[in-house]
């Protein structure tokens, strides 16, 4: 055995012993080692596309946030998994439509929840899109958008409005002003 190999042998044995101790620590009562959560930053294109969608939709239609991107203040779509969550968002939508009716002297009723996005801040800001129908009208239901701030089980309606149509969807040159 060479001199350098004899110096490395104790270090290798010590390293192997440390690895063995770590294995025993996780097996002895603490369960298996948990996998690390790997996060990453946006790529330049992902960041540009995400913030363009946020800007154009004002947070109501951001689409899917890329996997494993974790950044403070991002707006995430919320899937409807639990009946409790759906009930909570339905209640917020009803409060928002009542607020809209008071401000605009209308008589809309909540019909159906469409989608919810969330921005975690000090509390949470929910961007809720839902259907509302005027009480005694034969008109079809309209999409409404509401931004609701929730902190410690107290919710505040920032606004509720009929959904804005993006400029790109407005037909051009079809109106006459006569």
């Amino acid at each position: 055995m060479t001199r350098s190999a004899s110096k490395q042998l104790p270090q290798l044995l010590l390293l192997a012993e440390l690895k063995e101790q770590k294995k025993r620590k996780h097996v002895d009562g603490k369960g298996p080692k948990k996998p690390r959560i790997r996060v990453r930053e946006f790529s330049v294109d992902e960041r540009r596309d995400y913030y363009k969608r946020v800007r154009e939709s004002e947070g109501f239609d951001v689409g899917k946030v890329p996997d494993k991107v974790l950044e403070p203040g991002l707006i995430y779509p919320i899937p409807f998994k639990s009946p409790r969550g759906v009930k909570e968002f339905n209640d917020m939508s009803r409060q928002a439509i009542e607020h809209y009716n008071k401000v605009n002297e209308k008589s809309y009723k909540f019909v159906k929840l469409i989608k919810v996005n969330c921005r975690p801040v000090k509390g949470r800001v929910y961007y809720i899109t839902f259907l509302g129908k005027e009480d005694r009208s034969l008109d079809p239901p309209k999409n409404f958008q509401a931004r609701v701030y929730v902190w410690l089980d107290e919710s505040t309606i920032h606004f509720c409005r009929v959904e804005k149509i993006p400029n790109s969807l407005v037909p051009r040159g079809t109106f006459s002003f006569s």
Side-chain angles (χ1 to χ4, degrees), residues 155-173:
S155 58
T156 306
I157 311 296
H158 283 190
F159 66 80
C160 181
R161 66 182 181 211
V162 175
E163 183 176 32
K164 285 185 168 183
I165 299 173
N167 289 337
S168 61
L169 298 179
V170 175
R172 301 199 184 269

Side-chain angles (χ1 to χ4, degrees), residues 17-66:
E17 179 61 31
L18 286 173
K19 285 182 180 179
E20 188 63 40
Q21 284 177 1
K22 283 184 178 180
K23 284 181 186 176
R24 274 187 265 138
K25 182 178 179 182
H26 288 291
V27 173
D28 296 341
K30 290 204 174 188
K33 191 173 181 180
K34 293 181 182 176
R36 282 187 169 177
I37 298 173
R38 304 268 184 208
V39 295
R40 65 180 181 88
E41 292 184 6
F42 277 119
S43 70
V44 174
D45 292 336
E46 288 172 336
R47 182 179 301 277
R48 184 182 58 241
D49 292 342
Y50 170 80
Y51 283 107
K52 181 182 177 194
R53 291 191 313 263
V54 169
R55 193 174 42 256
E56 287 174 353
S57 72
E58 297 178 18
F60 289 94
D61 192 19
V62 296
K64 188 174 185 287
V65 177

Side-chain angles (χ1 to χ4, degrees), residues 8-116:
Q8 289 179 347
L9 188 60
Q11 290 176 346
L12 291 173
L13 290 173
L14 181 62
L15 213 79
E17 179 61 31
L18 286 173
K19 285 182 180 179
E20 188 63 40
Q21 284 177 1
K22 283 184 178 180
K23 284 181 186 176
R24 274 187 265 138
K25 182 178 179 182
H26 288 291
V27 173
D28 296 341
K30 290 204 174 188
K33 191 173 181 180
K34 293 181 182 176
R36 282 187 169 177
I37 298 173
R38 304 268 184 208
V39 295
R40 65 180 181 88
E41 292 184 6
F42 277 119
S43 70
V44 174
D45 292 336
E46 288 172 336
R47 182 179 301 277
R48 184 182 58 241
D49 292 342
Y50 170 80
Y51 283 107
K52 181 182 177 194
R53 291 191 313 263
V54 169
R55 193 174 42 256
E56 287 174 353
S57 72
E58 297 178 18
F60 289 94
D61 192 19
V62 296
K64 188 174 185 287
V65 177
D67 288 336
K68 299 179 184 176
V69 170
L70 187 63
E71 197 172 288
L74 290 182
I75 301 173
Y76 291 94
I78 303 228
F80 303 133
K81 291 183 180 176
S82 71
R84 180 176 174 251
V86 172
K87 182 185 179 316
E88 183 180 347
F89 295 128
N90 285 345
D91 292 343
M92 283 186 216
S93 301
R94 285 185 184 94
Q95 289 175 354
I97 201 87
E98 287 174 13
H99 174 77
Y100 178 84
N101 288 336
K102 284 179 189 173
V103 170
N104 297 297
E105 298 178 3
K106 299 284 185 177
S107 61
Y108 282 93
K109 296 289 182 190
F110 170 76
V111 176
K112 181 183 174 186
L113 190 63
I114 297 174
K115 64 183 166 187
V116 179

Side-chain angles (χ1 to χ4, degrees), residues 114-147:
I114 297 174
K115 64 183 166 187
V116 179
N117 291 330
C118 176
R119 172 181 274 166
V121 290
K122 184 179 178 183
R124 295 192 183 280
V125 177
Y126 291 106
Y127 300 83
I128 305 171
T129 306
F130 61 93
L131 282 176
K133 183 164 175 40
E134 198 154 13
D135 217 9
R136 296 184 185 107
S137 173
L138 297 175
D139 294 338
K142 294 181 180 180
N143 286 359
F144 282 83
Q145 296 175 327
R147 189 168 67 198

